[in-house]
Structures are given as C-alpha cells and as structure tokens.
Amino acid sequence: MDEVTIQRGLSTHFKFEEFKSELQKNAVVEICQRKNDVLVSMPTGSGKSLCYQLPAVLHSDKITIVFSPLLALIKDQIDHLLALKIRAASLNSKITKPEREMIIADLKSTSPNTRLLYVTPEQAATTTFKVLYNNLHNFNKLAYLVVDEAHCVSEWGHDFRPHYLKLGELRDNCNVPCIALTATASAEVTKDIISNLRLSKDHRTFKTSCFRSNLFYDVFYPNMLEDPYKHLRNFIHECLKMKEEESLPKHKKSCGIIYCRTREQTEVLMERLNKLGIKTLCYHAGLKTHERLEFQDKWQNGDVPVICATISFGMGVDKATVRFVVHWGVPKDPASYYQESGRAGRDGKPSKCRVYYNRSDSKAVEFHLSQDLGRAGSKESRKKES
Ligand SMILES: Nc1ncnc2c1ncn2[C@@H]1O[C@H](COP(=O)(O)OP(=O)(O)OP(=O)(O)O)[C@@H](O)[C@H]1O
C-alpha cells in the first residue's frame, strides 16, 4: 500500500491532515504492508490507536480483532469510531441478544461491514469467540490481531491479567500479523510481550521514550502545609487560569482530575473544593451507573471542571485539555502513576502533575513494594523450576 493512499485515508476517515509524529507515520506505513508483526511502544496520548485503526480501515475487505482490557475502554473506542462512521463492534455481556446476533451474522457474511471487532481477553477465551475466530481465519478474513495495553501479558507489568497469556495460543498456526501496543514497557515486559504473544523473530518495533516534555511534575507534603485544601485550590486556580471569584475557567474545556485512594476521600474532597468555590464532582465504583455517566458527561462537556476520582476513572478517558492531574495520596506504583498522570496535556500544551504525599502513605508504598517483590520472587523461582 503506497503512502499517498495512507495519507488520503488519514484525512478521509480520521479527519487529520497530518500524522502526530514521524514515528506514528512510520508505524502506520509498516503495519499497512501486513508483512510483519509489530510492537508499538509510545507514550500515553501519543496516538497509538491510530497506528492500527487506520490500517484496519484501509484493508476494507478484512476484519481487525482488537483485544482490549476493559469494557469502558472498548466503549470509548467504539463510540469514537462510530462517530467517524467507521464500523466497529464489540461482543460482550452488556449487549442485547439481537445486537449480538446482528454482529455475528455480519461477521459470518461473505463481505462483512465490520472493520474492527473489540473483545476482552476473557471473552476471547469463550467457545463462541473461538468458533468465530477460526471461521474468520479459515476464510482469510482477518487483517490484524491487535493487543492493546500489551504490558498486561507480563507478570512484570503493573496490570498483569492472566487471560492475556492465552492470547498467544490464538497465534498458533495463524498467519495474521499481530500488532502489540503499550505505553509502559520495561525491558522485562518487552521480552514477555514478544515471547507470550509469539511475535515473529523479524517483528518490527516502533518505540520512543516515555518522556512527555509538556508535563511538569512536583510533590508537596500536606503535613507541612498550613491548609492543604487551600493549597490545592490555589493550584487549581493557577492551572485553569481562574481568578478567585470565578467558578469556571475562561476556556470551558480546561479541566483537571484529582485521584484519591478511597471512595470516601473523593466525596470529602469534592465537598471541600465546592465550599472553596471550585465546581467539583466525584467518580467512583460506589455510584449508581446513571450517576457515573452523568458526572463523567458533565466533566467531559466542561460544565464542571474538576473531578475527584478513584483510579477506576481514567482508562479510556481521552480529553485533550486536562491541564492538571493531582494524586491526593501516593499512587500505587511508578507505572500506574505514569499512566494516570499521562491523562494530562494530551493536546501537547504545558500541564501539571502533582502528588500530595503524606508520611502515612509510606506504609502503603512499603506494602505495594513488598507485594511486587513477592511476585518477582515467585516468578524467578518458577523460572528456575521450569
Ligand atoms: N495524527 C493525529 N493528529 C492529531 N491528533 C491525533 C492524531 N492521531 C491521534 N490523535 C489524537 O491523539 C489523542 C491520543 O490518542 P490515543 O488515545 O490513541 O493515545 P494513546 O497513545 O493510545 O494513549 P494512552 O496510552 O494514554 O491510551 C486522541 O485524541 C487522538 O484523536
């Protein structure tokens, strides 16, 4: 496939006049050739999804299967693609029987309209999926197998998911190129991705440093501050360029996320900030579904600029104008912190990431470290045994 066709596809289907980076372009061009397996390791917000979505759309006679870890993430991707009039679907427990039947009928037809099919690794392990997959493979209808958040295949990854390991089995006797994508892959994780997903020896890698030059990080100790809540309010004013008497930023889209460790913390902090004149909502798994959707919508539309959330908020949140990410308490581990703070500044503009770190948090850090060390130890001993 030539570069002119690819460039035209970028503007026709995705409405972008140029690639976000040279690396994004090179990855897309390589993937479009369908010759090799490809590993894409690029920072949060760098446009990894386009690396497989554009090639998937350009191979208009085939289907791309995307393995993705979370239904919320899948929903977000599908909504985005449907808005661009790209046929994408997902087989999961949340869809109705008629919807499922319609998707399967299309996938079984001689010329399916579906370009991208999203499934979780757990769904990929079901018999229904395997039958469908074999059928598509045998009739040469598959363009790519895409593994999003590929670090989940590795026990060294911060997000290890045992079902991800089984995805490698789908690649046995399969000649469809595999595209693995991740934002956070250490050398160990990269090794595991390559071996667990059985990437070919001559696979191509498109990797860039995880450094985000527009993000500015700092740490404050609440114990040493006169009033941590006012300190946070001043930080919000500064990041959103708000004056004290204003309750909304001038740029309606400017906003921020405050990650808290517990549901209760999100509510307490929301209340405090509202009292201090900052319009704030909360988001956690304890809210009713309709409340969660409503609150996320209000934040997404810019009606409320700040959201206090547990880490369940974030995966799939793709708002370009997040000007700050605060951790009200210590993050779980460095890789999670990179992912979560990476929600900031996706439009490339300067943005801030701040941790408010309590001395008591060090106990939580020690606990997580000892868990990680335990995991690393058991992995080493399993390696020795095998
Ligand atoms: N060529 C492009 N030009 C302009 N914007 C782009 C381009 N490609 C992607 N984007 C936009 O960049 C943003 C980030 O893209 P995407 O969600 O794919 O990032 P990501 O690398 O998957 O990040 P994460 O790992 O955090 O999920 C999206 O809003 C997307 O529409």
Side-chain angles (χ1 to χ4, degrees), residues 10 14-21 24 42-53 73 76-77 80 148-149 181-184 212 314-320 338-339 342-343 346-347:
L10 180 68
F14 289 87
K15 320 290 176 226
F16 294 134
E17 285 320 309
E18 50 190 32
F19 284 98
K20 207 166 177 172
S21 63
Q24 189 192 47
M42 277 160 48
T44 50
S46 58
K48 289 184 289 300
S49 315
L50 187 99
C51 295
Y52 70 83
Q53 288 171 346
L73 201 61
D76 205 67
Q77 294 277 3
H80 175 67
D148 202 4
E149 311 291 348
L181 306 118
T182 181
T184 46
R212 301 259 317 262
M315 278 273 213
V317 171
D318 179 31
K319 192 168 173 183
Y338 177 74
Q339 284 276 358
R343 303 288 135 207
R346 287 158 83 87
D347 55 5

Side-chain angles (χ1 to χ4, degrees), residues 186-317:
S186 62
E188 283 285 355
V189 174
T190 306
K191 233 166 83 184
D192 278 359
I193 293 174
I194 294 167
S195 84
N196 292 337
L197 292 179
R198 332 252 213 273
L199 297 191
S200 53
K201 279 210 178 74
D202 54 358
H203 71 269
R204 299 283 316 274
T205 300
F206 294 86
K207 186 176 166 75
T208 180
S209 143
C210 57
F211 180 63
R212 301 259 317 262
S213 59
N214 64 321
L215 299 189
F216 299 89
Y217 288 81
D218 62 16
V219 179
F220 275 84
Y221 299 92
N223 297 348
M224 295 169 71
L225 300 172
E226 200 179 313
D227 185 338
Y229 296 105
K230 283 197 180 144
H231 193 269
L232 175 60
R233 179 200 58 188
N234 295 345
F235 176 67
I236 296 172
H237 280 158
E238 183 194 320
C239 293
L240 302 186
K241 298 194 170 43
M242 283 162 70
K243 295 208 179 89
E244 203 154 315
E245 63 281 8
E246 294 170 338
S247 60
L248 284 173
K250 268 199 192 62
H251 295 288
K252 196 182 172 211
K253 288 185 175 163
S254 295
C255 61
I257 306 173
I258 303 174
Y259 283 111
C260 301
R261 296 244 307 274
T262 63
R263 296 172 186 187
E264 197 193 350
Q265 256 182 5
T266 65
E267 299 198 354
V268 171
L269 196 53
M270 168 182 74
E271 216 166 285
R272 288 285 197 138
L273 289 175
N274 277 313
K275 276 195 187 136
L276 289 170
I278 308 266
K279 277 182 122 182
T280 309
L281 281 169
C282 69
Y283 184 100
H284 57 71
L287 296 174
K288 298 202 173 76
T289 310
H290 73 89
E291 288 174 323
R292 275 212 304 275
L293 290 175
E294 184 194 325
F295 294 174
Q296 181 163 350
D297 264 1
K298 282 192 169 152
W299 178 80
Q300 201 87 31
N301 300 334
D303 299 334
V304 176
V306 178
I307 195 151
C308 294
T310 55
I311 50 167
S312 58
F313 184 79
M315 278 273 213
V317 171

Side-chain angles (χ1 to χ4, degrees), residues 83-102:
L84 292 169
K85 302 203 168 21
I86 295 168
R87 284 288 291 264
S90 167
L91 290 173
N92 64 61
S93 53
K94 297 254 163 84
I95 59 173
T96 62
K97 201 167 164 230
E99 275 176 317
R100 169 181 294 269
E101 284 168 358
M102 220 164 71

